[in-house]
Amino acid sequence: MKQLYIAMLLALSPLYIFSQNTLTGTITDSENGAPLEQVSIYFPQLQNGTITDENGNYTLKNLPEGNYKLVVSYLGYETYSISFEIGTGNNVFDYQMVPSAIEMDEVVLSTPFHKLERENVMKVEQKSIAELKSEGAMTLADGITRIPGVSSVSTGVGIGKPVIRGLSFNRVLVYTQGVRLENQQFGGEHGLGLNDAGISSIEVIKGPASLLYGSDALGGVLYLNPENFELAGKTSGDINLNYFTNTLGYGTNAGFKTSGEKFKFLVRGAIASNADYETGDGTSVTNSRFKESDIKTGFAYQAAKFKTELRYNYNLSKLGIPEEIGVQNNDRDPLLPYQEIFTHILSSKNNFFFKKSSLEATFGYIFNDRKEFEEEHDHEEEGEEEEHGEGPSLHMELSTFNYNIHYNPQWGKTTTIFGIQGMSQKNENFGEEVLIPNATTNDFGILATSHIHFTKSDFQWGLRYDVRAIKGDESGTVGEETYIAAIDRNFNSFNAAVGYRVDVTDNILARLNLASGFRAPNLAELTSNGLHSGANRVEIGNPDLKSERNFQIDLALEYGNKHVEAYINGFYNGVSDYIYLQPTGEFRDTDPIYIFQQQNATLYGGEFGFHIHPHPIDWLHLESSYDIVYGQLEDDTNLPLMPANKWTNTFRVEWNKKDTQYRCYAFVTLQTFFDQNKVAVFETKTPRYNLFNVGVGGDIKIFDHKIGYKISGNNLFDKNYISHLSRLKTDGIANIGRNVAFNLSIPL
């Protein structure tokens, strides 16, 4: 371990001093030749960029020699990318941008080749946090449900788990700060544990991403991009205020960042507090309240051929676990039962750039301290009454170290990455109850993947091998119903992926991806033996479970011109040895007992939609998307927790205030969730319902400052409904009713 710490310290220190290379140029409008101000000039792989001044000029310093992707982007113009050769000394690149009503194409960071969305072989959805806020998202888990193909298994408002095309829990990996998040995510009543403050955007990989991320990425990846550092030579700050009428909830976050030519720093703090939410009939859902505190900070150093950044995130969440309708008040302190969760995330990302290759090494340490407090209970033993203390009934500490090292040689039009990836994890119990035992988990994976660029197409392939070892200690006394036996299991898997993207015509592109994935059973599925609060059931593990393996075919077609965009994405996903919970019909005290079983499963479906902004009224937008997913076990019964088919229609208008960069918007959205009649044997059907949402926002000028504002109303007609993915559905507790969100962003 000592050698590992020494290696990490060396990685954080520049090893050489290099000559400085620069890039200068001018960006103008192709129609009138006018210079464009605030245009972004960015090298994604170098994570180095700047913006143009009032004359359209820019200068980028500290650039390494070599061939790198250069992206030019500006709202209202087509995003342009080119492979640019950086030579010694000063380099020049001028460009004339083409006006377009289509939204800017963003660089994909969750896949290793840093392509624009339209250039990426794998279809990746991307949404900014600002977009999700404009739609009234209360939490990060709530916000991701605005992305096509993504849903959330919720326990009230404060707790939500991502669902990608019907797969969730340990089948979906979450990455933040470039490292995999580990926070006992096996539990449905365990939320994301992340605050959206300090996160710039979300990327979603739909389908097996085991090639890039190893075990647990069988269903996809939710990749959270952290807030960018400030541009060189600039300092900025801001305060953001949020208020939600339904929960009387408030939240605020404030940030500061400053950057010199080489050193960069940022910090952001956030707090949030919400009372119990009200359903559509005005009933307060007792103990759905939650509080959160969050701090994110980062430091970076960037030289010509070396870049490093160190980031830290601290999060404290107190989450009530609703069980029944009881006291009706606006208190904010959680009642019993509730969770108190501390999470620390420390990450170090280091890049070395050579003339014909580069090396990226990312290290992460996550410490998750989870406490669950339950109602005090008495029981008699040999005629004496024993009362349990006020400490947590369940207390688990999970510490995880992970690493990801990629070497990227450049061979002509072929970009190849060789990598190793791994994780070392330890779980310890300190509470009265033991849900899963003290255990260690160790992962190691090795991979190779290549991307070949042709004139109008791209081809990508890759291979990977993984091993995972899980060792769990014995817990309890043999013969007792809560006894957990010791376990020592090893799992391994080969996986492959191949993808092809082609410009069929100037307006049509197609993507075909075939990929395999795997997921070793987690510690809970192998060893769990206890009551899950929030689910109100006892879950018992199966130590003989095998790894899940899947193979998915994904086909995407997209059409786009200056005024119409349309897409259709279809997938077929076959999963061998799918692990699922099944009730036994027995009870422990008054709680039903569920056990983990395995069976082959099939999921299929897709998303399709369009976006119209007709000429000459480019400020008007009509958007529509439809999500479909079906899941069945081999015995022809339906998979549990399959999201209902969803149809979203939005009418949106956008405009700029005359001769200024001040933008405004307004929208009306109708979401239709269709009948969910294809349910598991222990689920009930969910009827169709509609949600009507509206919003306005933009910028206003106050004391020479551009102030951003957003006002949105979700479920405006106060519909009383229960989502099929709500864990409170079995108790007949409805989802949130009308909620109006106010957001104010004030630069400092």
Side-chain angles (χ1 to χ4, degrees), residues 78-156:
E78 290 183 7
T79 301
Y80 178 75
S81 69
I82 185 176
S83 293
F84 189 83
E85 185 74 30
I86 301 172
T88 304
N90 187 46
N91 301 264
V92 179
F93 175 75
D94 300 326
Y95 182 66
Q96 292 185 324
M97 300 196 74
V98 179
S100 173
I102 299 174
E103 281 84 355
M104 288 193 305
D105 203 2
E106 300 289 346
V107 175
V108 173
L109 300 178
S110 55
T111 56
F113 300 107
H114 300 306
K115 302 290 184 181
L116 294 177
E117 283 187 87
R118 69 169 182 265
E119 298 172 338
N120 213 52
V121 172
M122 183 185 300
K123 174 69 173 177
V124 177
E125 299 281 357
Q126 189 177 69
K127 279 268 194 179
S128 70
I129 292 297
E131 288 181 89
L132 302 181
K133 284 290 186 183
S134 71
E135 297 172 10
M138 291 187 65
T139 63
L140 192 59
D142 177 36
I144 63 174
T145 63
R146 272 72 172 175
I147 300 172
V150 183
S151 305
S152 178
V153 175
S154 64
T155 306

Coordinates of all heavy atoms in Angstrom, one line a residue, residues 78-156:
E78 N -23.6 25.8 -36.1 CA -23.3 24.4 -36.2 C -21.9 24.2 -35.4 O -21.0 24.9 -35.6 CB -23.1 24.0 -37.6 CG -24.4 23.9 -38.4 CD -24.2 23.4 -39.8 OE1 -23.0 23.0 -40.1 OE2 -25.1 23.4 -40.6
T79 N -21.9 23.1 -34.6 CA -20.7 22.8 -33.9 C -19.8 22.1 -34.9 O -20.2 21.3 -35.7 CB -21.0 21.8 -32.8 OG1 -21.9 22.4 -31.8 CG2 -19.7 21.4 -32.0
Y80 N -18.5 22.5 -34.9 CA -17.5 22.0 -35.8 C -16.4 21.3 -35.1 O -15.9 21.8 -34.1 CB -16.9 23.2 -36.6 CG -15.9 22.8 -37.7 CD1 -16.2 22.2 -38.8 CD2 -14.5 23.1 -37.4 CE1 -15.2 21.8 -39.8 CE2 -13.6 22.8 -38.3 CZ -13.9 22.1 -39.5 OH -12.9 21.8 -40.4
S81 N -15.9 20.2 -35.6 CA -14.8 19.4 -35.1 C -13.8 19.1 -36.1 O -14.2 18.8 -37.3 CB -15.3 18.2 -34.3 OG -15.8 17.2 -35.2
I82 N -12.6 19.0 -35.8 CA -11.5 18.7 -36.8 C -10.3 18.1 -36.0 O -10.1 18.5 -34.8 CB -11.1 20.0 -37.5 CG1 -10.1 19.6 -38.6 CG2 -10.5 21.0 -36.6 CD1 -9.7 20.8 -39.5
S83 N -9.6 17.2 -36.6 CA -8.4 16.7 -36.1 C -7.3 17.7 -36.4 O -7.0 17.9 -37.6 CB -8.0 15.3 -36.6 OG -9.0 14.3 -36.2
F84 N -6.7 18.3 -35.4 CA -5.7 19.4 -35.7 C -4.3 19.0 -35.2 O -4.2 18.5 -34.1 CB -6.2 20.6 -34.9 CG -5.4 21.8 -35.3 CD1 -5.7 22.6 -36.4 CD2 -4.3 22.3 -34.5 CE1 -5.0 23.7 -36.7 CE2 -3.6 23.4 -34.8 CZ -3.9 24.1 -35.9
E85 N -3.3 19.2 -36.0 CA -2.0 18.9 -35.7 C -1.3 20.1 -35.1 O -1.2 21.1 -35.7 CB -1.2 18.5 -37.0 CG 0.2 18.0 -36.7 CD 0.3 16.6 -36.1 OE1 -0.6 15.8 -36.4 OE2 1.3 16.4 -35.4
I86 N -0.9 19.9 -33.8 CA -0.2 21.0 -33.1 C 1.3 20.8 -33.3 O 1.9 19.8 -32.9 CB -0.6 21.0 -31.6 CG1 -2.1 21.1 -31.4 CG2 0.2 22.1 -30.8 CD1 -2.5 20.9 -29.9
G87 N 1.9 21.8 -33.8 CA 3.3 21.8 -34.1 C 4.1 22.7 -33.0 O 3.4 23.3 -32.2
T88 N 5.4 22.7 -33.1 CA 6.2 23.5 -32.2 C 6.0 25.0 -32.5 O 5.9 25.5 -33.6 CB 7.7 23.2 -32.4 OG1 7.9 21.8 -32.2 CG2 8.5 23.9 -31.4
G89 N 5.9 25.8 -31.4 CA 5.7 27.2 -31.5 C 4.3 27.6 -31.7 O 3.4 27.0 -31.2
N90 N 4.1 28.7 -32.5 CA 2.7 29.2 -32.7 C 2.0 28.5 -33.9 O 2.5 28.4 -34.9 CB 2.8 30.7 -33.0 CG 1.4 31.3 -33.0 OD1 0.6 31.1 -32.1 ND2 1.1 32.2 -34.0
N91 N 0.7 28.1 -33.6 CA -0.1 27.5 -34.6 C -1.3 28.4 -34.9 O -1.8 29.1 -33.9 CB -0.6 26.1 -34.2 CG 0.5 25.2 -33.9 OD1 0.9 24.4 -34.7 ND2 1.1 25.3 -32.7
V92 N -1.9 28.4 -36.1 CA -3.0 29.3 -36.4 C -4.2 28.5 -37.0 O -4.0 27.6 -37.8 CB -2.6 30.3 -37.5 CG1 -3.8 31.2 -37.9 CG2 -1.4 31.2 -37.0
F93 N -5.4 28.8 -36.5 CA -6.6 28.2 -37.0 C -7.7 29.2 -37.0 O -8.1 29.7 -35.9 CB -7.0 27.0 -36.1 CG -8.3 26.4 -36.5 CD1 -8.4 25.6 -37.7 CD2 -9.5 26.6 -35.8 CE1 -9.6 25.0 -38.1 CE2 -10.7 26.1 -36.2 CZ -10.8 25.3 -37.3
D94 N -8.2 29.6 -38.2 CA -9.3 30.5 -38.4 C -10.5 29.7 -38.9 O -10.3 28.7 -39.6 CB -9.0 31.6 -39.4 CG -7.8 32.4 -39.0 OD1 -7.6 32.7 -37.8 OD2 -7.0 32.9 -39.8
Y95 N -11.7 30.1 -38.5 CA -12.9 29.4 -39.0 C -14.1 30.3 -39.1 O -14.2 31.2 -38.3 CB -13.2 28.2 -38.0 CG -14.4 27.4 -38.4 CD1 -14.3 26.6 -39.6 CD2 -15.6 27.4 -37.7 CE1 -15.4 25.8 -40.0 CE2 -16.6 26.6 -38.1 CZ -16.5 25.9 -39.3 OH -17.6 25.1 -39.7
Q96 N -14.9 30.0 -40.1 CA -16.2 30.7 -40.3 C -17.3 29.8 -39.9 O -17.5 28.8 -40.6 CB -16.3 31.2 -41.8 CG -15.3 32.3 -42.2 CD -15.6 32.8 -43.6 OE1 -16.0 32.0 -44.5 NE2 -15.4 34.1 -43.8
M97 N -18.1 30.2 -38.9 CA -19.2 29.3 -38.4 C -20.5 29.5 -39.2 O -20.8 30.6 -39.7 CB -19.4 29.6 -36.9 CG -18.3 29.4 -36.0 SD -18.7 29.4 -34.3 CE -19.5 27.7 -34.2
V98 N -21.2 28.4 -39.4 CA -22.4 28.4 -40.1 C -23.6 28.4 -39.2 O -23.7 27.6 -38.3 CB -22.5 27.1 -41.0 CG1 -23.8 27.0 -41.7 CG2 -21.3 26.9 -41.9
P99 N -24.5 29.4 -39.4 CA -25.7 29.5 -38.5 C -26.6 28.3 -38.5 O -26.7 27.7 -39.6 CB -26.4 30.8 -39.0 CG -25.4 31.6 -39.8 CD -24.4 30.5 -40.3
S100 N -27.2 27.9 -37.4 CA -28.1 26.8 -37.3 C -29.0 26.9 -36.1 O -28.6 27.4 -35.1 CB -27.2 25.5 -37.2 OG -28.1 24.4 -36.9
A101 N -30.2 26.5 -36.3 CA -31.2 26.5 -35.2 C -31.1 25.3 -34.3 O -31.7 25.2 -33.2 CB -32.6 26.6 -35.8
I102 N -30.3 24.3 -34.7 CA -30.2 23.1 -34.0 C -29.3 23.3 -32.8 O -28.3 24.1 -32.8 CB -29.6 22.0 -34.9 CG1 -30.5 21.7 -36.0 CG2 -29.3 20.7 -34.0 CD1 -29.9 20.7 -37.0
E103 N -29.6 22.7 -31.6 CA -28.8 22.9 -30.4 C -27.4 22.4 -30.6 O -27.1 21.6 -31.5 CB -29.4 22.1 -29.3 CG -30.6 22.7 -28.6 CD -31.9 22.4 -29.3 OE1 -31.9 21.8 -30.4 OE2 -33.0 22.8 -28.8
M104 N -26.5 23.0 -29.8 CA -25.1 22.7 -30.0 C -24.8 21.2 -29.7 O -25.4 20.6 -28.8 CB -24.2 23.5 -29.0 CG -24.1 25.0 -29.3 SD -22.8 25.8 -28.3 CE -23.3 25.4 -26.7
D105 N -23.9 20.6 -30.6 CA -23.5 19.2 -30.4 C -22.4 19.2 -29.3 O -21.5 20.0 -29.4 CB -23.0 18.7 -31.7 CG -23.0 17.2 -31.8 OD1 -23.5 16.6 -30.8 OD2 -22.6 16.6 -32.8
E106 N -22.6 18.4 -28.3 CA -21.6 18.3 -27.2 C -20.6 17.2 -27.3 O -20.9 16.2 -28.0 CB -22.4 18.2 -25.9 CG -23.4 19.3 -25.6 CD -22.8 20.6 -25.3 OE1 -21.5 20.6 -25.0 OE2 -23.5 21.6 -25.3
V107 N -19.5 17.3 -26.7 CA -18.5 16.3 -26.7 C -18.9 15.3 -25.6 O -19.3 15.6 -24.5 CB -17.1 16.9 -26.3 CG1 -16.1 15.8 -26.1 CG2 -16.7 17.9 -27.3
V108 N -18.8 14.0 -26.0 CA -19.1 12.9 -25.1 C -17.8 12.5 -24.3 O -16.8 12.2 -24.9 CB -19.6 11.7 -25.9 CG1 -19.7 10.4 -25.0 CG2 -20.9 12.0 -26.6
L109 N -17.9 12.6 -23.0 CA -16.8 12.3 -22.1 C -16.9 10.9 -21.5 O -15.9 10.4 -20.9 CB -16.7 13.3 -21.0 CG -16.5 14.8 -21.5 CD1 -16.5 15.7 -20.3 CD2 -15.3 14.9 -22.3
S110 N -18.0 10.2 -21.5 CA -18.2 8.9 -20.9 C -17.6 7.8 -21.7 O -17.4 6.7 -21.2 CB -19.7 8.6 -20.6 OG -20.4 8.7 -21.8
T111 N -17.3 8.0 -23.0 CA -16.6 7.1 -23.8 C -15.2 7.6 -24.1 O -15.0 8.9 -24.1 CB -17.3 6.8 -25.2 OG1 -17.5 8.1 -25.8 CG2 -18.7 6.2 -24.9
P112 N -14.2 6.8 -24.3 CA -12.8 7.3 -24.2 C -12.3 8.1 -25.4 O -11.2 8.6 -25.3 CB -12.0 5.9 -24.1 CG -12.9 4.9 -24.8 CD -14.3 5.3 -24.5
F113 N -13.0 8.1 -26.5 CA -12.5 8.8 -27.7 C -12.9 10.2 -27.9 O -12.5 10.9 -28.8 CB -12.8 8.0 -29.0 CG -12.3 6.6 -28.9 CD1 -13.2 5.5 -28.7 CD2 -11.0 6.3 -29.0 CE1 -12.7 4.2 -28.6 CE2 -10.5 5.0 -29.0 CZ -11.4 3.9 -28.8
H114 N -13.7 10.8 -27.0 CA -14.0 12.2 -26.9 C -14.6 12.7 -28.2 O -14.1 13.7 -28.8 CB -12.9 13.0 -26.4 CG -12.4 12.6 -25.1 ND1 -13.2 12.6 -24.0 CD2 -11.1 12.2 -24.6 CE1 -12.5 12.2 -22.9 NE2 -11.3 12.0 -23.3
K115 N -15.6 12.1 -28.8 CA -16.2 12.5 -30.0 C -17.4 13.4 -29.7 O -18.0 13.4 -28.6 CB -16.7 11.3 -30.8 CG -15.6 10.3 -31.2 CD -14.6 10.9 -32.2 CE -13.6 9.9 -32.6 NZ -12.6 10.5 -33.6
L116 N -17.9 14.2 -30.7 CA -19.2 14.8 -30.6 C -20.3 13.8 -30.6 O -20.1 12.6 -31.0 CB -19.4 15.8 -31.7 CG -18.4 17.0 -31.8 CD1 -18.7 17.8 -33.1 CD2 -18.6 17.9 -30.6
E117 N -21.4 14.1 -30.0 CA -22.5 13.2 -30.0 C -22.8 12.5 -31.3 O -23.0 11.3 -31.4 CB -23.8 13.9 -29.4 CG -23.8 14.1 -27.9 CD -25.1 14.7 -27.4 OE1 -26.0 13.9 -27.1 OE2 -25.2 15.9 -27.4
R118 N -22.9 13.4 -32.4 CA -23.2 12.8 -33.7 C -22.1 12.0 -34.3 O -22.4 11.2 -35.2 CB -23.6 13.9 -34.6 CG -22.5 14.8 -35.0 CD -22.9 15.8 -36.2 NE -21.8 16.6 -36.6 CZ -21.5 17.9 -36.2 NH1 -22.4 18.4 -35.4 NH2 -20.5 18.5 -36.7
E119 N -20.9 12.2 -33.8 CA -19.7 11.4 -34.3 C -19.5 10.1 -33.6 O -18.8 9.2 -34.0 CB -18.5 12.3 -34.3 CG -18.5 13.5 -35.1 CD -17.3 14.4 -34.8 OE1 -16.7 14.3 -33.7 OE2 -17.0 15.3 -35.7
N120 N -20.1 10.0 -32.4 CA -19.8 8.8 -31.5 C -20.4 7.6 -32.1 O -21.6 7.6 -32.6 CB -20.3 9.1 -30.1 CG -19.5 8.4 -29.1 OD1 -18.3 8.6 -29.0 ND2 -20.1 7.7 -28.2
V121 N -19.7 6.5 -32.1 CA -20.2 5.2 -32.6 C -21.3 4.7 -31.7 O -22.4 4.2 -32.2 CB -19.1 4.1 -32.7 CG1 -19.7 2.8 -33.0 CG2 -18.1 4.6 -33.7
M122 N -21.2 4.8 -30.4 CA -22.2 4.4 -29.5 C -23.1 5.6 -29.2 O -22.7 6.7 -28.9 CB -21.6 3.9 -28.2 CG -22.5 3.4 -27.1 SD -21.6 3.0 -25.6 CE -20.5 1.8 -26.1
K123 N -24.4 5.4 -29.2 CA -25.4 6.4 -28.9 C -25.4 6.7 -27.5 O -25.6 5.9 -26.6 CB -26.8 6.0 -29.3 CG -27.9 6.9 -29.0 CD -27.9 8.2 -29.7 CE -29.1 9.1 -29.5 NZ -29.1 10.4 -30.2
V124 N -25.1 8.0 -27.1 CA -25.0 8.5 -25.8 C -25.9 9.7 -25.6 O -25.8 10.6 -26.4 CB -23.6 8.9 -25.4 CG1 -23.5 9.4 -23.9 CG2 -22.6 7.6 -25.5
E125 N -26.8 9.6 -24.6 CA -27.7 10.8 -24.4 C -27.0 11.7 -23.4 O -26.3 11.3 -22.5 CB -29.0 10.3 -23.7 CG -29.8 9.4 -24.6 CD -30.6 10.1 -25.6 OE1 -30.6 11.3 -25.7 OE2 -31.3 9.4 -26.4
Q126 N -27.2 13.0 -23.6 CA -26.6 14.0 -22.8 C -27.5 15.1 -22.4 O -28.3 15.6 -23.3 CB -25.3 14.6 -23.5 CG -24.5 15.5 -22.6 CD -23.2 16.0 -23.3 OE1 -23.3 16.8 -24.2 NE2 -22.1 15.5 -22.9
K127 N -27.6 15.5 -21.1 CA -28.4 16.6 -20.7 C -27.6 17.5 -19.7 O -26.9 16.9 -18.8 CB -29.7 16.1 -20.0 CG -30.8 15.7 -20.9 CD -31.7 16.8 -21.1 CE -33.0 16.4 -21.8 NZ -34.0 17.5 -22.0
S128 N -27.7 18.8 -19.8 CA -27.1 19.6 -18.8 C -28.0 19.8 -17.5 O -29.2 19.6 -17.6 CB -26.8 21.0 -19.4 OG -28.0 21.7 -19.6
I129 N -27.3 20.0 -16.4 CA -28.1 20.2 -15.2 C -29.0 21.4 -15.3 O -30.1 21.5 -14.8 CB -27.1 20.4 -14.0 CG1 -26.4 19.1 -13.7 CG2 -27.9 20.9 -12.7 CD1 -27.3 18.0 -13.3
A130 N -28.5 22.5 -16.1 CA -29.4 23.7 -16.3 C -30.7 23.3 -17.0 O -31.7 23.8 -16.7 CB -28.6 24.7 -17.1
E131 N -30.6 22.4 -18.0 CA -31.8 21.9 -18.7 C -32.8 21.2 -17.7 O -34.0 21.5 -17.7 CB -31.4 21.0 -19.8 CG -30.8 21.6 -21.0 CD -30.5 20.6 -22.1 OE1 -31.4 20.3 -22.9 OE2 -29.4 20.0 -22.0
L132 N -32.2 20.4 -16.9 CA -33.1 19.6 -15.9 C -33.7 20.5 -14.9 O -34.8 20.4 -14.5 CB -32.2 18.5 -15.2 CG -31.5 17.5 -16.1 CD1 -30.8 16.5 -15.3 CD2 -32.6 16.8 -17.0
K133 N -32.9 21.6 -14.5 CA -33.5 22.5 -13.5 C -34.6 23.3 -14.2 O -35.6 23.7 -13.5 CB -32.4 23.5 -13.1 CG -31.4 22.9 -12.0 CD -32.1 22.7 -10.7 CE -31.1 22.2 -9.6 NZ -31.8 22.0 -8.3
S134 N -34.5 23.6 -15.5 CA -35.5 24.4 -16.1 C -36.8 23.6 -16.2 O -37.9 24.2 -16.4 CB -35.0 24.8 -17.5 OG -35.0 23.7 -18.4
E135 N -36.7 22.3 -16.1 CA -37.9 21.5 -16.2 C -38.4 21.1 -14.8 O -39.3 20.3 -14.6 CB -37.6 20.2 -16.9 CG -37.2 20.4 -18.4 CD -36.7 19.2 -19.1 OE1 -36.8 18.1 -18.5 OE2 -36.2 19.3 -20.2
G136 N -37.9 21.8 -13.7 CA -38.4 21.6 -12.4 C -37.9 20.5 -11.6 O -38.5 20.1 -10.6
A137 N -36.7 19.9 -12.0 CA -36.2 18.7 -11.3 C -35.9 19.1 -9.8 O -35.2 20.1 -9.6 CB -35.0 18.2 -12.0
M138 N -36.4 18.3 -8.9 CA -36.1 18.6 -7.4 C -34.8 18.1 -7.0 O -34.1 18.7 -6.2 CB -37.2 18.1 -6.6 CG -38.5 18.8 -6.7 SD -39.7 18.2 -5.5 CE -39.0 18.7 -3.9
T139 N -34.4 16.9 -7.5 CA -33.2 16.2 -7.1 C -32.5 15.7 -8.4 O -33.1 15.6 -9.5 CB -33.5 15.1 -6.2 OG1 -34.3 14.1 -6.8 CG2 -34.2 15.5 -4.9
L140 N -31.3 15.2 -8.2 CA -30.6 14.6 -9.4 C -31.3 13.3 -9.8 O -31.5 13.1 -11.1 CB -29.2 14.2 -8.9 CG -28.2 13.8 -10.0 CD1 -28.1 14.9 -11.1 CD2 -26.9 13.5 -9.4
A141 N -31.8 12.5 -8.9 CA -32.6 11.3 -9.3 C -33.9 11.6 -10.0 O -34.3 10.9 -10.9 CB -32.9 10.5 -8.0
D142 N -34.5 12.7 -9.6 CA -35.7 13.2 -10.3 C -35.3 13.7 -11.7 O -36.0 13.5 -12.7 CB -36.4 14.3 -9.5 CG -37.6 14.9 -10.2 OD1 -38.3 14.1 -10.9 OD2 -37.8 16.1 -10.0
G143 N -34.2 14.4 -11.8 CA -33.8 15.0 -13.1 C -33.5 14.0 -14.2 O -33.9 14.2 -15.4
I144 N -32.9 12.9 -13.9 CA -32.5 11.9 -14.9 C -33.7 11.3 -15.6 O -33.6 10.8 -16.7 CB -31.7 10.8 -14.3 CG1 -32.4 10.0 -13.3 CG2 -30.4 11.4 -13.8 CD1 -31.7 8.8 -12.8
T145 N -34.9 11.4 -15.0 CA -36.1 10.8 -15.6 C -36.6 11.6 -16.8 O -37.4 11.2 -17.5 CB -37.3 10.7 -14.6 OG1 -37.6 12.0 -14.1 CG2 -36.9 9.8 -13.4
R146 N -36.0 12.8 -17.0 CA -36.3 13.6 -18.2 C -35.6 13.1 -19.4 O -35.8 13.6 -20.5 CB -36.0 15.1 -17.9 CG -37.0 15.9 -17.3 CD -37.3 15.6 -15.9 NE -38.2 16.6 -15.3 CZ -38.7 16.5 -14.1 NH1 -38.3 15.5 -13.3 NH2 -39.5 17.5 -13.6
I147 N -34.7 12.2 -19.3 CA -33.9 11.7 -20.4 C -34.6 10.5 -21.0 O -34.9 9.6 -20.3 CB -32.4 11.3 -19.9 CG1 -31.7 12.5 -19.3 CG2 -31.6 10.7 -21.1 CD1 -30.4 12.2 -18.6
P148 N -34.8 10.4 -22.3 CA -35.4 9.3 -23.0 C -34.8 8.0 -22.6 O -33.5 7.9 -22.7 CB -35.3 9.6 -24.5 CG -35.2 11.1 -24.5 CD -34.4 11.5 -23.3
G149 N -35.6 7.0 -22.2 CA -35.0 5.6 -21.9 C -34.6 5.5 -20.5 O -34.1 4.4 -20.1
V150 N -34.7 6.6 -19.7 CA -34.2 6.6 -18.3 C -35.4 6.8 -17.3 O -36.2 7.7 -17.6 CB -33.2 7.6 -18.0 CG1 -32.6 7.5 -16.6 CG2 -32.0 7.4 -19.0
S151 N -35.5 6.0 -16.3 CA -36.6 6.2 -15.3 C -35.9 6.1 -13.9 O -34.7 6.1 -13.8 CB -37.6 5.1 -15.4 OG -38.2 5.0 -16.7
S152 N -36.7 6.1 -12.8 CA -36.2 6.0 -11.5 C -37.1 5.2 -10.6 O -38.3 5.4 -10.6 CB -36.0 7.4 -10.9 OG -35.6 7.4 -9.6
V153 N -36.5 4.3 -9.8 CA -37.2 3.6 -8.8 C -37.2 4.5 -7.5 O -36.1 4.8 -7.0 CB -36.6 2.2 -8.5 CG1 -37.3 1.6 -7.3 CG2 -36.7 1.3 -9.7
S154 N -38.3 5.0 -7.1 CA -38.4 6.0 -6.1 C -39.0 5.5 -4.8 O -39.8 4.6 -4.8 CB -39.1 7.2 -6.6 OG -40.5 6.9 -6.8
T155 N -38.5 6.1 -3.7 CA -39.1 5.9 -2.4 C -39.4 7.3 -1.9 O -38.5 8.0 -1.2 CB -38.1 5.2 -1.4 OG1 -37.7 4.0 -2.0 CG2 -38.9 4.9 -0.1
G156 N -40.5 7.9 -2.2 CA -40.8 9.3 -2.0 C -40.1 10.2 -3.0 O -39.8 9.8 -4.1

